Amino acid sequence: MQTISNYDFKGKRALIRVDFNVPLNSENFEITDDTRIRAALPTIQLILKNGGCVVLMSHLGRPKLGPEDKFSLKHIVPHLSNLLGLPILFSNSCIGAEAEAFTSNLQPGQVVLLENLRFFQHETAGDKTFAEQLARHGDVYVNDAFGTAHRAHASTAIITQFFQNDKIFGLLLENEIKNVDLVLNSAKKPVTAIVGGAKVSSKITIIERLIEKVDYLIIGGGMAYTFAKAKGGKIGSSLVEDDYLDIALSILDKAKTHDTVICLPTDTKVADTFSNDANTQVVDINNIPDGWMGLDIGEKSAESFCKVIKQSATLLWNGPMGVFEMDNFQQGTIAVANAIVEATKKGAFSLIGGGDSVAAINKYDLADQVSYVSTGGGAMLEYLEGIELPGIAAIRGE
Ligand code: AMP
């Protein structure tokens, strides 16, 4: 299979699907977090270094009815130009005569950014004609957008049928796949997954799959109270999904048959309102007083979770241990983050994947002290669930 490392880009136009869906402030459209742009740089730089020219395409935000200034990728141009140290050409449309005029005359070393793909509804509809129009911009297609790899959109999957053999993963996407596979197929035991966040319902498929793969499964966050109630505990007004009580019990049973140890919190920090200024106390998770809700794991739970984490050789973390956005309920999440860092220092492989645990590791400035932080929220979750992602399958030709 062709890879970005063995492909000859000399004199070729590389059409790269990147994920430049970055947050912009509403006053003057300045980028407030450029992580996704930085993540795409190695692929762009490698192709330019190897004699190619680059056509970049991305979406930005969720425009509903065609072009909207606030979702224009032109806002990205100055910063991208600074990061690459190169002038960036910009095409006001991603298809049509203007765009083709840019891309048909590109010289090696040049970079053009196309306007937001989602200004055309054909993008998310996976329209084949639109994909063909996009395909005209490149001799080789490179997918480096893990964040949208779970979507069968025109630019992420449908487009590959116009590139027969000249379709490859970018470095970022290659890395994401390699790192998740490393956890899912890890030989370095013990393997521990830490799953938190709000609801059992949104993580159920992942939990069921992880049970088959890991030695320890730590469950924290809002979903822990559904487990506590299912086991007969009194959980006050904590978050609960009553429809999932039986499923919670079946997860515990399934764990036994796979010899997977499930670690649930034993104590919890409860509050009398959902507020950082609420009155708080730490209580047994199975005996929460009426009118109080659990918003973080307690100290004893944090200690026992951290003990397991520090003894692990492979770690996957998805979802916070409590309402970490509020300072008074972030201690459990901080403790877990620090334990993962400590384990990593001792040689464990640690992967932080999916939305809010990535936000947490960034909040505590620890992203560079773990092995890998995934850029793909929903895509990472679906990959962990074992779903074949259209963007990945399309390149592999499956
Ligand atoms: P998720 O997107 O499912 O990973 O959920 C992340 C969200 O879960 C965060 O915004 C947390 O504030 C929230 N969360 C974590 N623990 C709790 C809890 N005990 N009660 C309510 N929400 C929680």
Side-chain angles (χ1 to χ4, degrees):
M1 189 176 149
Q2 304 207 80
T3 68
I4 186 152
S5 312
N6 65 23
Y7 191 89
D8 182 7
F9 287 100
K10 203 158 179 214
K12 296 261 175 69
R13 294 173 306 157
L15 175 60
I16 315 179
R17 177 51 161 105
V18 287
D19 180 2
F20 284 174
N21 183 29
V22 291
L24 302 175
N25 67 22
S26 50
E27 300 89 60
N28 33 16
F29 306 117
E30 280 166 356
I31 300 162
T32 53
D33 179 353
D34 69 351
T35 311
R36 287 181 174 156
I37 299 181
R38 286 178 187 276
L41 297 179
T43 293
I44 301 172
Q45 285 161 332
L46 181 79
I47 294 172
L48 294 176
K49 193 179 116 217
N50 290 345
C53 53
V54 164
V55 181
L56 298 168
M57 57 178 176
S58 177
H59 73 288
L60 174 63
R62 291 171 184 246
K64 291 263 161 358
L65 305 162
E68 275 179 79
D69 188 57
K70 67 175 175 180
F71 295 127
S72 172
L73 280 165
K74 71 179 182 208
H75 304 305
I76 311 290
V77 170
H79 190 60
L80 178 63
S81 175
N82 266 344
L83 290 173
L84 283 172
L86 288 171
I88 305 293
L89 303 166
F90 183 72
S91 167
N92 286 311
S93 177
C94 58
I95 54 167
E98 183 196 333
E100 284 180 37
F102 271 113
T103 57
S104 57
N105 291 315
L106 275 188
Q107 299 303 313
Q110 285 191 309
V111 180
V112 61
L113 173 64
L114 304 177
E115 182 55 289
N116 195 340
L117 294 160
R118 291 200 190 162
F119 284 172
F120 292 87
Q121 287 171 4
H122 309 74
E123 162 64 357
T124 48
D127 184 272
K128 194 172 163 183
T129 309
F130 180 69
E132 190 275 327
Q133 288 173 294
L134 292 173
R136 290 182 204 160
H137 300 310
D139 307 309
V140 48
Y141 169 76
V142 182
N143 190 349
D144 212 19
F146 186 58
T148 49
H150 58 320
R151 307 276 182 229
H153 291 171
S155 71
T156 58
I158 313 303
I159 194 168
T160 57
Q161 55 195 281
F162 303 103
F163 288 93
Q164 295 204 349
N165 295 320
D166 299 296
K167 48 184 182 178
I168 50 183
F169 295 122
L171 291 169
L172 173 65
L173 194 36
E174 213 175 59
N175 230 354
E176 293 273 358
I177 299 169
K178 190 185 82 193
N179 282 301
V180 190
D181 285 348
L182 213 67
V183 169
L184 291 179
N185 309 317
S186 182
K188 270 174 76 184
K189 286 174 173 293
V191 183
T192 298
I194 307 126
V195 182
K199 293 179 173 173
V200 180
S201 52
S202 60
K203 303 277 167 84
I204 178 74
T205 327
I206 295 177
I207 291 177
E208 289 194 322
R209 183 144 191 260
L210 288 175
I211 284 175
E212 296 164 12
K213 306 249 172 203
V214 305
D215 303 299
Y216 294 90
L217 178 63
I218 294 175
I219 295 177
M223 70 177 76
Y225 305 92
T226 298
F227 281 89
K229 184 166 178 183
K231 289 171 72 185
K234 235 173 98 273
I235 58 160
S237 48
S238 306
L239 195 63
V240 66
E241 289 173 287
D242 285 316
D243 298 353
Y244 279 80
L245 298 175
D246 287 342
I247 290 175
L249 291 179
S250 76
I251 287 173
L252 299 176
D253 278 344
K254 184 174 177 183
K256 278 184 209 146
T257 63
H258 284 273
D259 267 345
T260 301
V261 179
I262 298 229
C263 310
L264 285 162
T266 48
D267 60 347
T268 173
K269 187 172 187 183
V270 295
D272 56 357
T273 56
F274 189 79
S275 153
N276 194 43
D277 304 321
N279 294 308
T280 63
Q281 55 177 319
V282 176
V283 298
D284 178 340
I285 198 166
N286 296 308
N287 213 354
I288 300 177
D290 288 343
W292 292 73
M293 65 189 85
L295 296 184
D296 196 3
I297 56 173
E299 228 170 83
K300 278 191 209 136
S301 309
E303 238 169 68
S304 73
F305 288 0
C306 291
K307 200 169 156 201
V308 172
I309 291 170
K310 287 178 199 169
Q311 289 168 358
S312 300
T314 303
L315 290 153
L316 165 71
W317 182 26
N318 174 289
M321 295 292 100
V323 185
F324 76 104
E325 298 93 336
M326 297 185 202
D327 288 353
N328 287 332
F329 305 103
Q330 62 174 345
Q331 268 63 38
T333 303
I334 293 179
V336 161
N338 283 329
I340 293 174
V341 166
E342 213 175 294
T344 312
K345 278 193 186 125
K346 286 196 300 192
F349 176 82
S350 55
L351 184 143
I352 318 299
D356 276 320
S357 29
V358 175
I361 206 87
N362 285 331
K363 180 176 177 189
Y364 309 126
D365 242 344
L366 296 171
D368 58 351
Q369 295 182 58
V370 295
S371 309
Y372 193 73
V373 180
S374 169
T375 58
M380 163 63 92
L381 297 188
E382 289 195 17
Y383 198 77
L384 287 174
E385 285 175 19
I387 296 171
E388 172 143 274
L389 307 188
I392 294 178
I395 298 258
R396 287 181 175 154
E398 287 157 355

mmCIF file of all heavy atoms in Angstrom, residues 80-100:
data_model
loop_
_atom_site.group_PDB
_atom_site.id
_atom_site.type_symbol
_atom_site.label_atom_id
_atom_site.label_comp_id
_atom_site.label_asym_id
_atom_site.label_seq_id
_atom_site.Cartn_x
_atom_site.Cartn_y
_atom_site.Cartn_z
ATOM 1 N N LEU A 80 -2.292 30.693 8.942
ATOM 2 C CA LEU A 80 -1.693 29.547 8.261
ATOM 3 C C LEU A 80 -0.414 29.973 7.544
ATOM 4 O O LEU A 80 0.609 29.276 7.566
ATOM 5 C CB LEU A 80 -2.705 28.964 7.253
ATOM 6 C CG LEU A 80 -2.224 27.782 6.427
ATOM 7 C CD1 LEU A 80 -1.897 26.589 7.319
ATOM 8 C CD2 LEU A 80 -3.292 27.367 5.392
ATOM 9 N N SER A 81 -0.478 31.150 6.943
ATOM 10 C CA SER A 81 0.676 31.684 6.231
ATOM 11 C C SER A 81 1.854 31.899 7.200
ATOM 12 O O SER A 81 2.997 31.561 6.905
ATOM 13 C CB SER A 81 0.250 32.994 5.555
ATOM 14 O OG SER A 81 1.354 33.586 4.971
ATOM 15 N N ASN A 82 1.536 32.426 8.395
ATOM 16 C CA ASN A 82 2.567 32.613 9.427
ATOM 17 C C ASN A 82 3.182 31.290 9.847
ATOM 18 O O ASN A 82 4.404 31.152 9.963
ATOM 19 C CB ASN A 82 1.935 33.207 10.694
ATOM 20 C CG ASN A 82 2.044 34.700 10.687
ATOM 21 O OD1 ASN A 82 2.831 35.242 9.904
ATOM 22 N ND2 ASN A 82 1.259 35.356 11.517
ATOM 23 N N LEU A 83 2.320 30.311 10.105
ATOM 24 C CA LEU A 83 2.806 29.015 10.590
ATOM 25 C C LEU A 83 3.681 28.322 9.556
ATOM 26 O O LEU A 83 4.696 27.704 9.898
ATOM 27 C CB LEU A 83 1.629 28.102 10.960
ATOM 28 C CG LEU A 83 0.829 28.495 12.205
ATOM 29 C CD1 LEU A 83 -0.403 27.608 12.352
ATOM 30 C CD2 LEU A 83 1.682 28.379 13.466
ATOM 31 N N LEU A 84 3.306 28.447 8.284
ATOM 32 C CA LEU A 84 4.078 27.752 7.239
ATOM 33 C C LEU A 84 5.240 28.596 6.733
ATOM 34 O O LEU A 84 6.157 28.098 6.073
ATOM 35 C CB LEU A 84 3.167 27.397 6.058
ATOM 36 C CG LEU A 84 2.231 26.194 6.233
ATOM 37 C CD1 LEU A 84 1.261 26.099 5.068
ATOM 38 C CD2 LEU A 84 3.019 24.890 6.356
ATOM 39 N N GLY A 85 5.174 29.908 7.018
ATOM 40 C CA GLY A 85 6.215 30.807 6.506
ATOM 41 C C GLY A 85 6.150 30.934 4.988
ATOM 42 O O GLY A 85 7.178 31.055 4.318
ATOM 43 N N LEU A 86 4.933 30.896 4.462
ATOM 44 C CA LEU A 86 4.725 30.941 3.014
ATOM 45 C C LEU A 86 3.487 31.766 2.698
ATOM 46 O O LEU A 86 2.560 31.801 3.506
ATOM 47 C CB LEU A 86 4.390 29.530 2.498
ATOM 48 C CG LEU A 86 5.453 28.468 2.430
ATOM 49 C CD1 LEU A 86 4.792 27.140 2.110
ATOM 50 C CD2 LEU A 86 6.467 28.818 1.347
ATOM 51 N N PRO A 87 3.440 32.383 1.505
ATOM 52 C CA PRO A 87 2.165 32.997 1.118
ATOM 53 C C PRO A 87 1.137 31.900 0.818
ATOM 54 O O PRO A 87 1.508 30.836 0.314
ATOM 55 C CB PRO A 87 2.513 33.778 -0.154
ATOM 56 C CG PRO A 87 3.775 33.185 -0.646
ATOM 57 C CD PRO A 87 4.478 32.526 0.491
ATOM 58 N N ILE A 88 -0.124 32.148 1.162
ATOM 59 C CA ILE A 88 -1.174 31.153 0.887
ATOM 60 C C ILE A 88 -2.155 31.775 -0.105
ATOM 61 O O ILE A 88 -2.665 32.881 0.114
ATOM 62 C CB ILE A 88 -1.957 30.797 2.182
ATOM 63 C CG1 ILE A 88 -1.023 30.325 3.299
ATOM 64 C CG2 ILE A 88 -3.050 29.762 1.896
ATOM 65 C CD1 ILE A 88 -0.332 29.023 3.061
ATOM 66 N N LEU A 89 -2.404 31.082 -1.202
ATOM 67 C CA LEU A 89 -3.412 31.547 -2.160
ATOM 68 C C LEU A 89 -4.773 31.135 -1.624
ATOM 69 O O LEU A 89 -4.883 30.128 -0.928
ATOM 70 C CB LEU A 89 -3.166 30.903 -3.524
ATOM 71 C CG LEU A 89 -1.776 31.145 -4.140
ATOM 72 C CD1 LEU A 89 -1.539 30.197 -5.309
ATOM 73 C CD2 LEU A 89 -1.640 32.595 -4.556
ATOM 74 N N PHE A 90 -5.795 31.920 -1.950
ATOM 75 C CA PHE A 90 -7.134 31.578 -1.451
ATOM 76 C C PHE A 90 -8.142 31.625 -2.581
ATOM 77 O O PHE A 90 -8.231 32.620 -3.311
ATOM 78 C CB PHE A 90 -7.555 32.533 -0.332
ATOM 79 C CG PHE A 90 -8.888 32.182 0.257
ATOM 80 C CD1 PHE A 90 -9.037 31.061 1.063
ATOM 81 C CD2 PHE A 90 -10.014 32.956 -0.025
ATOM 82 C CE1 PHE A 90 -10.275 30.715 1.587
ATOM 83 C CE2 PHE A 90 -11.258 32.613 0.502
ATOM 84 C CZ PHE A 90 -11.387 31.491 1.313
ATOM 85 N N SER A 91 -8.899 30.558 -2.723
ATOM 86 C CA SER A 91 -9.936 30.526 -3.751
ATOM 87 C C SER A 91 -11.303 30.710 -3.097
ATOM 88 O O SER A 91 -11.647 29.980 -2.156
ATOM 89 C CB SER A 91 -9.897 29.184 -4.483
ATOM 90 O OG SER A 91 -11.071 29.047 -5.248
ATOM 91 N N ASN A 92 -12.086 31.665 -3.598
ATOM 92 C CA ASN A 92 -13.386 31.995 -2.999
ATOM 93 C C ASN A 92 -14.443 30.913 -3.142
ATOM 94 O O ASN A 92 -15.536 31.048 -2.605
ATOM 95 C CB ASN A 92 -13.943 33.276 -3.622
ATOM 96 C CG ASN A 92 -13.182 34.481 -3.106
ATOM 97 O OD1 ASN A 92 -12.990 34.618 -1.898
ATOM 98 N ND2 ASN A 92 -12.713 35.320 -4.015
ATOM 99 N N SER A 93 -14.143 29.896 -3.895
ATOM 100 C CA SER A 93 -15.061 28.761 -3.957
ATOM 101 C C SER A 93 -14.216 27.488 -3.972
ATOM 102 O O SER A 93 -13.048 27.513 -4.377
ATOM 103 C CB SER A 93 -15.918 28.828 -5.217
ATOM 104 O OG SER A 93 -16.740 27.666 -5.276
ATOM 105 N N CYS A 94 -14.809 26.387 -3.531
ATOM 106 C CA CYS A 94 -14.021 25.147 -3.540
ATOM 107 C C CYS A 94 -14.178 24.402 -4.861
ATOM 108 O O CYS A 94 -13.410 23.479 -5.136
ATOM 109 C CB CYS A 94 -14.405 24.258 -2.365
ATOM 110 S SG CYS A 94 -16.145 23.808 -2.338
ATOM 111 N N ILE A 95 -15.176 24.780 -5.668
ATOM 112 C CA ILE A 95 -15.325 24.148 -6.999
ATOM 113 C C ILE A 95 -15.537 25.236 -8.043
ATOM 114 O O ILE A 95 -15.697 26.419 -7.701
ATOM 115 C CB ILE A 95 -16.531 23.168 -7.042
ATOM 116 C CG1 ILE A 95 -17.806 23.882 -6.591
ATOM 117 C CG2 ILE A 95 -16.270 21.925 -6.232
ATOM 118 C CD1 ILE A 95 -19.079 23.099 -6.895
ATOM 119 N N GLY A 96 -15.503 24.853 -9.299
ATOM 120 C CA GLY A 96 -15.825 25.786 -10.373
ATOM 121 C C GLY A 96 -14.591 26.409 -11.005
ATOM 122 O O GLY A 96 -13.446 26.073 -10.665
ATOM 123 N N ALA A 97 -14.848 27.346 -11.918
ATOM 124 C CA ALA A 97 -13.792 27.888 -12.762
ATOM 125 C C ALA A 97 -12.700 28.608 -11.962
ATOM 126 O O ALA A 97 -11.500 28.430 -12.225
ATOM 127 C CB ALA A 97 -14.410 28.847 -13.783
ATOM 128 N N GLU A 98 -13.110 29.420 -10.954
ATOM 129 C CA GLU A 98 -12.097 30.177 -10.208
ATOM 130 C C GLU A 98 -11.143 29.222 -9.481
ATOM 131 O O GLU A 98 -9.911 29.356 -9.557
ATOM 132 C CB GLU A 98 -12.744 31.106 -9.178
ATOM 133 C CG GLU A 98 -11.689 31.948 -8.453
ATOM 134 C CD GLU A 98 -12.185 32.612 -7.164
ATOM 135 O OE1 GLU A 98 -13.376 32.884 -7.043
ATOM 136 O OE2 GLU A 98 -11.317 32.863 -6.294
ATOM 137 N N ALA A 99 -11.732 28.252 -8.817
ATOM 138 C CA ALA A 99 -10.908 27.296 -8.071
ATOM 139 C C ALA A 99 -9.992 26.518 -9.013
ATOM 140 O O ALA A 99 -8.796 26.342 -8.736
ATOM 141 C CB ALA A 99 -11.803 26.342 -7.284
ATOM 142 N N GLU A 100 -10.534 26.114 -10.133
ATOM 143 C CA GLU A 100 -9.715 25.329 -11.078
ATOM 144 C C GLU A 100 -8.608 26.168 -11.695
ATOM 145 O O GLU A 100 -7.533 25.657 -12.023
ATOM 146 C CB GLU A 100 -10.607 24.690 -12.153
ATOM 147 C CG GLU A 100 -11.341 23.486 -11.584
ATOM 148 C CD GLU A 100 -12.257 22.805 -12.593
ATOM 149 O OE1 GLU A 100 -11.891 22.733 -13.786
ATOM 150 O OE2 GLU A 100 -13.340 22.358 -12.184
#
